[in-house]
Amino acid sequence: MVWTTRDRYTTDPMNTENKTNEMATKADSKIETVSFVSLGCPKNLVDSEKMLGLLAEDGLLPVDSDEPADAVVVNTCGFLEAAKDESIGEINQAVALKEEGLVKRVVVAGCLVQRQRAKLLEWCPGIDAMIGVFDRDRIIEAVKGPTGFEIGNDIAVELPVYSSIAANAVIAKQHREMGDEVTGYFEEDGGRMRLTARHYAYLRISEGCNQNCAFCTIPSIRGKMRSKPVDRIVGEARELMNDGAFELNLIGQDTTSFGDDIGYEAGLVGMLEGLNGVVKEYGGGWVRLMYAYPSKFTDEMVEAIARLEHVVKYIDIPLQHINDGVLDRMRRYTSRECIETLLRKLKERVPGIAIRTTFISGFPGETEEQHQELVEFVRGFGFENMGVFGYSPEPGTVAGTMYGKGDAVDDETIARRIDELMMTQQTVVFERHDAMVANEDEVDVLIDAKTDSVLEGEDGDVAGVLYQGRTSRQAPQVDGVTYVHSESGQEYALGEIVKCRVIGYDGYDLIAKPVRELEKRVSLPLA
């Protein structure tokens, strides 16, 4: 490691004495507290939790982002242009605090560092250190400030204090002198300091992706797929359950391909069986599968979801489109026929399953006819949960090169198409909710939080309290929620399962009342 000669705070580039003194001051500044800003997807959140765990283990005190801290870490998202802009905004806010003397060090980590490390210091010239996605274990050096810096061998850029940015997982493995006896290089996520509520957690089963969809930057940022060995996954699941988790949300860029890269023949099914067993040991819980790739979904996977009691009847399958021509241009390696066959199997073989998906609107070359095909598909199938993203041309992707060839869909058209898709989905959801209310459906609700809402009755008296929770058909952060109205003011614990009856809805969110309270209200006095 060597000292950098880069200096961003003196106007005289030849003032060596000032540079030396300033760098020494920074190196000697004692960092005792740290706050985190975690942006992007749940995979990024797990990275943040792991880095926080490492810092806490080293003796640093984590504080809320709205409290004064010696160091601020911004874990960035660089998936889309909008995410890049959000990340840059957060970084520059932290830098502004440092310029006011309220923060000693600004550290930037995550996908935007990995993707744009050569430009990031130009966009945000107040950064003190950067950490790539393969180097979370170096976060202590980045936050505390070592006597130099190390950077990946694929780039030569002067950095202010410290940086560890391995170009890919192979180089990261070499840096750590991990021999061939270690299969692959995977992210160890044990010992995290969780940022979610205690009763639910994200459990990463793999990292990276081998699919190479035309629109996606993930392979260039996170690398090729790296499945985590099942024994490590099971171990982390036990750790999370010991810490109070009831719900384990399984994440990865392509969860249905789990095990393919490490020769684990039992694949996703074997891993689900192992986790189902762990949850059973702890008396029950929810295991939720996210980010399933449709072309890799087998009959055995469908059957496993149906038979494993603690695997919730919910699946997240980002389909992206339904038109064969668009799917081909997206390099999705599937077709409308394959998608419809899979969805039909899931509905028929897993009674009551909730299916969530996402679509991309305005992909280069998408015609109005192809868009309308997608609208009719959404209207006809009836997804429980759905999201739509406008296409964003990302540098370095195959689809990014399509822009400028006359295939681009203008922003106004994309916005209109997104609105049409979401209004179609809204109609589907509202019709489903109307039926749930009419049928007086009863659902198990996992209590997530007690709200600050004060409910008043007709006479102005307080008419109970309102809790926020979710059914097994609602994943955290991405789906609607269920509000539980307790007229009696009954106290429910966070993480408690409460049997409720659906009495209404507010947009995509359900409104329910505890069945036990309804039964008390209608019971007749004894003679």
Side-chain angles (χ1 to χ4, degrees):
M1 294 184 179
V2 296
W3 279 103
T4 175
T5 57
R6 182 185 180 93
D7 178 67
R8 296 172 289 107
Y9 305 105
T10 57
T11 55
D12 179 5
M14 300 305 293
N15 192 338
T16 307
E17 182 178 356
N18 285 348
K19 288 181 180 182
T20 303
N21 291 338
E22 182 176 8
M23 294 171 73
T25 300
K26 288 181 179 296
D28 293 339
S29 296
K30 191 172 183 180
I31 305 294
E32 297 179 333
T33 59
V34 60
S35 69
F36 252 76
V37 178
S38 188
L39 305 174
C41 67
K43 279 91 69 178
N44 233 30
L45 181 65
V46 171
D47 286 338
S48 295
E49 292 176 339
K50 177 62 178 180
M51 287 188 282
L52 265 174
L54 291 170
L55 291 168
E57 184 179 4
D58 195 64
L60 276 77
L61 177 65
V63 298
D64 291 337
S65 58
D66 57 351
E67 296 181 17
D70 294 330
V72 175
V73 179
V74 181
N75 194 15
T76 60
C77 177
F79 184 53
L80 299 174
E81 187 70 16
K84 184 198 81 173
D85 293 342
E86 181 186 18
S87 295
I88 290 174
E90 291 287 348
I91 295 167
N92 285 329
Q93 283 186 38
V95 169
L97 292 175
K98 188 180 72 169
E99 291 173 348
E100 294 175 18
L102 301 176
V103 171
K104 297 177 183 178
R105 190 181 301 277
V106 175
V107 178
V108 182
C111 292
L112 190 60
V113 171
Q114 198 69 33
R115 188 181 182 193
Q116 300 284 7
R117 50 199 180 275
K119 296 181 179 179
L120 202 48
L121 291 173
E122 298 176 14
W123 299 331
C124 308
I127 296 172
D128 293 304
M130 299 197 293
I131 290 290
V133 299
F134 305 106
D135 298 282
R136 300 175 314 169
D137 56 329
R138 308 284 173 85
I139 187 64
I140 296 170
E141 293 91 332
V143 168
K144 284 191 169 182
T147 57
F149 69 89
E150 177 182 350
I151 109 178
N153 62 3
D154 68 329
I155 183 170
V157 54
E158 291 182 339
L159 299 173
V161 175
Y162 175 87
S163 180
S164 184
I165 310 172
N168 53 54
V170 174
I171 292 175
K173 182 177 179 179
Q174 292 172 351
H175 284 176
R176 287 150 186 80
E177 297 182 350
M178 299 168 64
D180 294 336
E181 68 277 5
V182 178
T183 303
Y185 173 70
F186 58 90
E187 279 68 19
E188 180 70 64
D189 295 321
R192 291 147 51 188
M193 177 172 284
R194 288 198 284 125
L195 298 172
T196 60
R198 186 183 180 197
H199 59 275
Y200 77 86
Y202 294 103
L203 178 56
R204 174 161 38 199
I205 66 172
S206 64
E207 186 57 277
C209 186
N210 292 342
Q211 297 298 338
N212 292 314
C213 298
F215 53 82
C216 188
T217 60
I218 286 174
S220 64
I221 298 173
R222 294 274 177 172
K224 293 184 178 180
M225 182 166 179
R226 305 179 303 285
S227 297
K228 188 181 297 181
V230 173
D231 62 331
R232 301 298 183 94
I233 295 173
V234 167
E236 288 179 20
R238 286 200 172 93
E239 179 181 319
L240 293 169
M241 299 292 282
N242 282 329
D243 191 41
F246 176 85
E247 175 184 12
L248 302 177
N249 297 281
L250 309 186
I251 58 172
Q253 272 75 33
D254 173 13
T255 56
T256 32
S257 294
F258 174 79
D260 290 354
D261 58 307
I262 58 174
Y264 178 62
E265 294 184 3
L268 179 65
V269 173
M271 189 270 296
L272 288 177
E273 290 173 340
L275 289 179
N276 188 75
V278 169
V279 172
K280 186 176 181 179
E281 291 175 16
Y282 285 82
W286 293 351
V287 176
R288 185 187 305 277
L289 185 61
M290 309 290 288
Y291 306 105
Y293 200 88
S295 66
K296 305 290 288 187
F297 222 109
T298 65
D299 288 350
E300 290 76 16
M301 294 175 188
V302 176
E303 189 271 336
I305 294 172
R307 68 178 166 83
L308 296 175
E309 59 180 324
H310 298 298
V311 175
V312 296
K313 311 317 169 192
Y314 175 107
I315 189 72
D316 167 49
I317 314 178
L319 296 176
Q320 311 305 2
H321 215 280
I322 196 61
N323 174 266
D324 285 342
V326 177
L327 290 169
D328 285 345
R329 290 167 70 84
M330 287 181 170
R331 298 191 176 184
R332 291 290 287 173
Y333 305 109
T334 188
S335 65
R336 175 166 187 157
E337 181 181 1
C338 291
I339 290 171
E340 289 183 323
T341 298
L342 171 60
L343 296 179
R344 183 172 63 252
K345 287 178 180 178
L346 286 166
K347 287 288 189 182
E348 291 175 353
R349 301 180 189 180
V350 190
I353 190 171
I355 301 178
R356 170 183 174 77
T357 195
T358 52
F359 294 112
I360 294 175
S361 182
F363 189 80
E366 183 193 47
T367 66
E368 190 64 29
E369 182 181 7
Q370 291 167 335
H371 163 69
Q372 289 302 324
E373 181 182 350
L374 179 56
V375 171
E376 291 305 314
F377 174 67
V378 169
R379 180 179 292 117
F381 182 76
F383 292 98
E384 278 69 25
N385 304 285
M386 187 187 88
V388 182
F389 297 91
Y391 171 73
S392 174
E394 298 300 319
T397 63
V398 173
T401 63
M402 295 180 184
Y403 253 72
K405 295 182 179 180
D407 291 329
V409 180
D410 64 86
D411 292 342
E412 183 177 349
T413 299
I414 291 176
R416 174 183 60 79
R417 290 178 180 178
I418 290 175
D419 185 64
E420 188 172 358
L421 284 165
M422 292 310 301
M423 290 303 296
T424 301
Q425 173 67 3
Q426 185 180 91
T427 300
V428 170
V429 171
F430 287 4
E431 288 177 353
R432 182 182 299 113
H433 287 178
D434 282 333
M436 294 179 74
V437 175
N439 296 334
E440 297 185 333
D441 283 2
E442 294 186 358
V443 293
D444 288 332
V445 181
L446 178 65
I447 301 297
D448 281 337
K450 183 178 180 180
T451 75
D452 295 328
S453 299
V454 177
L455 304 178
E456 294 185 357
E458 294 180 0
D459 56 1
D461 294 336
V462 175
V465 296
L466 197 66
Y467 292 88
Q468 181 178 310
R470 292 175 291 107
T471 72
S472 63
R473 300 164 69 85
Q474 296 168 320
Q477 306 300 320
V478 292
D479 297 333
V481 301
T482 298
Y483 289 103
V484 177
H485 176 201
S486 172
E487 287 188 34
S488 67
Q490 172 74 39
E491 288 290 330
Y492 294 108
L494 305 190
E496 181 178 354
I497 294 287
V498 180
K499 175 72 72 174
C500 296
R501 182 175 300 160
V502 178
I503 62 169
Y505 62 93
D506 180 13
Y508 290 98
D509 301 324
L510 294 173
I511 302 172
K513 287 188 176 181
V515 169
R516 72 179 74 167
E517 296 185 21
L518 291 171
E519 291 173 345
K520 288 179 181 179
R521 190 177 63 184
V522 301
S523 61
L524 298 175
L526 295 176

